[in-house]
Amino acid sequence: SAGTDDDYRFIAFHPQSPNIVYATGKTSRISTDKGLTWTGAQRRISAVYAGDGNIVYSTGRGTGGALLIYKSADRGATWPTTPLATVPTPSNAEVGQIVVSPNNPDRLYIAAKPYGVYIVDGARVVLKNDAHGLAKGDLGVVGIYVLAVDPRRPNIVYAGSLPGGLSMGNGVFRSIDSGESWISIISNLGPDLSIVSL
């Protein structure tokens, strides 16, 4: 619709009310009529919980570049002042996709180049990288940028490499233990394969 031109990086339907659409580019917008009209959101929405589409997430930066994760339970109408979690990412980390476990609104997976995948599980925040099966690419970094969780088997998580620039990615990785360990599933498609969506 008019006035909504943007470079959108995140678009999602409300899982239980498909008339509601969330879209985020330089700013966030919410539609309640399947995208015919839009209103602005207070914060940039980065993820939606599949179990309850009213629960949405936003990010900010704290002291030393730490990534602050905020959770709203009312489609972004209000936000708590205290973050759900503080992820100690270095200030140079490029945050890619954020996905939520389909059965736990407090468990998130965060792609953070060039470090790997941060797992937020309540107060617990851990980084999974090449020591856990996510291989470094041709620039010597873990270029994970896109993520997906199996909607029926939430212990299965996928991560795709998209390092950017002139570098090539090194494919897709799968975890069958909720992100604790990873293996490459690139099979015969490699070794160079950049993933833009999962």
Side-chain angles (χ1 to χ4, degrees):
S1 60
T4 59
D5 293 350
D6 207 333
D7 181 15
Y8 290 101
R9 301 301 174 95
F10 172 79
I11 297 176
F13 285 91
H14 187 299
Q16 292 77 36
S17 302
N19 287 351
I20 299 170
V21 189
Y22 302 101
T24 296
K26 294 175 184 174
T27 60
S28 273
R29 296 178 173 90
I30 301 173
S31 173
T32 58
D33 55 11
K34 299 181 182 179
L36 294 176
T37 60
W38 297 85
T39 57
Q42 285 186 18
R43 299 183 60 94
R44 296 180 74 240
I45 295 169
S46 302
V48 178
Y49 175 48
D52 180 353
N54 293 325
I55 298 177
V56 296
Y57 305 81
S58 182
T59 62
R61 287 288 186 179
T63 305
L67 185 69
L68 307 177
I69 308 294
Y70 294 91
K71 182 174 79 169
S72 168
D74 55 11
R75 294 186 290 183
T78 61
W79 297 88
T81 56
T82 303
L84 169 69
T86 300
V87 182
T89 59
S91 58
N92 68 332
E94 183 181 353
V95 177
Q97 196 166 15
I98 299 172
V99 296
V100 188
S101 172
N103 65 345
N104 182 352
D106 292 333
R107 184 176 180 88
L108 292 83
Y109 301 90
I110 301 167
K113 294 191 306 186
Y115 299 99
V117 177
Y118 283 93
I119 301 173
V120 173
D121 192 356
R124 177 178 178 255
V125 178
V126 296
L127 173 64
K128 299 300 178 178
N129 52 27
D130 55 307
H132 308 96
L134 294 168
K136 291 182 178 179
D138 57 358
L139 294 181
V141 300
V142 181
I144 300 301
Y145 199 71
V146 294
L147 298 165
V149 183
D150 188 306
R152 293 183 179 85
R153 297 173 294 176
N155 59 302
I156 299 177
V157 188
Y158 298 92
S161 176
L162 183 66
L166 299 177
S167 177
M168 285 297 295
N170 56 353
V172 182
F173 300 85
R174 181 179 63 203
S175 171
I176 60 172
D177 55 9
S178 301
E180 295 299 319
S181 62
W182 300 82
I183 60 168
S184 172
I185 57 169
I186 196 171
S187 188
N188 63 340
L189 297 177
D192 299 326
L193 183 67
S194 292
I195 307 299
V196 297
S197 181
L198 289 169

